[in-house]
């Protein structure tokens, strides 16, 4: 099953006998919008969302509180499961997640659901801007779902696992190249990358319209970095959100990958961990 869905395909699915549950996961990395006011995903949802969609709060329901494990560590599974059931998610119902267009937050929801055992989850390619159908402003209250998260083994990396994978397989850094090289670091205390990691910015996964590049192009892109189905692959970013988008892109390309959820924000919380700078992975 394809991990992404186009707006036209979603419109058809919503008219089918088995319409998907819709998760609105609008979120921004920066808390400040252009107006100078903090971004409010709930307000964005209330101003217009796909019919039947339920708002999901990335910071509170798709992650736990920031701390030594990073800015967006794994959520408490009871909290995550309750949020999914509130949204109407059941084990036997398809799910489509979307966000404001960049795809990071929707991919985080996709990854968490897949990691915890849901078999049928996709991301709306291009997000809300790709949708040309009707919107609604009333909050949706679907019937309670029955989904119970059951994490899979091997899909999550910790700091030691990421360091080991950088030596034995392929570890991709999904942040912007200048952050990888350590030329600038706007959020975390130290710039640079995990020694051995390869720069693979998430922005290169999509075209100018924010839609994923074709699977063959993504497969070629990752193949040039040594990431194929034949080697273990892992991804990290700043806090495990944009890296989920990279894991999604790898899935589109047919390449399974693990996610280092703590990512650079966890890695740099321990000053004893090594940091590489410049374009050289080491």
């Amino acid at each position: 099953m394809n991990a992404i869905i186009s707006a036209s395909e979603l419109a058809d699915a919503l008219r089918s006998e088995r319409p998907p549950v819709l998760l609105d996961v609008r979120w921004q990395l920066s808390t400040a919008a252009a107006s100078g006011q903090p971004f409010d995903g709930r307000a964005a949802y209330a101003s217009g969302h796909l019919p039947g969609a339920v708002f999901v709060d990335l910071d509170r329901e798709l992650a736990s509180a920031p701390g030594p494990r990073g800015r967006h560590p794994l959520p408490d599974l009871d909290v995550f499961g309750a949020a999914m059931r509130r949204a109407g998610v059941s084990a036997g119902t398809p799910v489509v997640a979307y966000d404001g267009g960049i795809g990071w937050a929707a991919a985080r929801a996709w990854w968490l659901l897949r990691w915890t055992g849901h078999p049928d989850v996709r991301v709306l390619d291009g997000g809300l801007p790709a949708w040309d159908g009707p919107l609604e402003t009333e909050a949706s209250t679907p019937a309670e779902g029955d989904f119970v998260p059951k994490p899979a083994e091997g899909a999550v990396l910790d700091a030691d696992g990421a360091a080991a994978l950088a030596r034995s397989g392929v570890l991709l850094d999904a942040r912007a190249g200048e952050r990888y090289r350590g030329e600038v670091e706007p959020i975390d205390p130290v710039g640079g990358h995990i020694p051995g990691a390869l720069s693979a910015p998430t922005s290169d996964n999509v075209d100018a319209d924010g839609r994923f590049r074709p699977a063959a192009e993504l497969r070629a892109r990752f193949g040039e970095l040594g990431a194929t189905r034949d080697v273990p692959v892992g991804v990290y970013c700043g806090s495990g959100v944009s890296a989920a988008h990279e894991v999604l892109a790898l899935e589109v390309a047919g390449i399974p990958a693990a996610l280092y959820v703590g990512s650079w924000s966890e890695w740099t919380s321990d000053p004893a961990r090594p940091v590489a700078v410049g374009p050289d992975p080491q």
Side-chain angles (χ1 to χ4, degrees):
M1 184 190 69
N2 200 341
I4 57 176
I5 185 171
S6 69
S8 60
E9 290 170 334
L10 177 57
D12 289 341
L14 291 172
R15 291 190 292 266
S16 71
E17 295 181 357
R18 191 167 169 257
V21 171
L22 298 178
L23 307 180
D24 184 309
V25 202
R26 272 178 278 183
W27 171 87
Q28 286 185 6
L29 175 62
S30 173
T31 58
S35 63
Q37 297 298 317
F39 178 77
D40 187 338
R42 289 186 184 277
Y45 169 83
S47 69
H49 54 269
L50 269 64
V54 174
F55 178 73
V56 176
D57 190 318
L58 185 148
D59 290 316
R60 294 177 175 81
E61 296 172 323
L62 304 184
S64 52
R69 294 183 299 130
R71 285 192 305 279
H72 291 102
L74 288 172
D76 179 283
L77 289 181
D78 288 339
V79 173
F80 173 66
M84 294 300 99
R85 291 189 292 275
R86 173 185 60 83
V89 175
S90 292
T93 56
V95 179
V96 173
Y98 72 90
D99 56 26
I102 196 169
W104 295 0
R108 172 79 174 213
W110 167 84
W111 180 83
L112 279 167
L113 279 166
R114 290 296 303 274
W115 172 59
T116 55
H118 199 289
D120 190 351
V121 190
R122 286 179 283 180
V123 167
L124 175 58
D125 196 15
L128 187 61
W131 178 257
D132 59 3
L135 299 177
E136 64 183 23
T137 56
E138 293 295 322
S140 303
T141 54
E144 183 91 355
D146 63 15
F147 179 69
V148 177
K150 297 177 181 178
E153 296 183 1
V156 178
L157 297 170
D158 59 12
D160 290 341
L165 187 59
R167 297 188 297 269
S168 64
V170 175
L171 182 65
L172 301 178
D173 185 317
R175 298 171 301 158
E178 58 269 25
R179 292 182 70 190
Y180 170 89
R181 296 187 296 271
E183 297 166 358
V184 61
E185 181 45 64
I187 305 173
D188 295 307
V190 179
H193 57 270
I194 297 173
L198 302 172
S199 180
T202 300
S203 57
D204 291 344
N205 295 332
V206 297
D207 61 21
D209 293 326
R211 291 176 174 82
F212 279 95
R213 298 186 182 280
E217 288 186 18
L218 290 170
R219 198 154 42 245
R221 180 209 177 193
F222 293 124
E224 289 176 358
L225 294 167
T228 69
R229 292 189 60 87
D230 300 324
V231 298
V233 178
V235 187
Y236 75 94
C237 58
S239 66
V241 177
S242 67
H245 188 276
E246 190 111 299
V247 173
L248 176 57
L250 284 155
E251 178 79 8
V252 172
I255 303 168
L259 177 65
Y260 175 24
V261 179
S263 286
W264 192 243
S265 56
E266 180 190 39
W267 185 268
T268 56
S269 69
D270 183 350
R273 294 191 182 109
V275 170
V277 296
D280 190 325
Q282 302 300 331

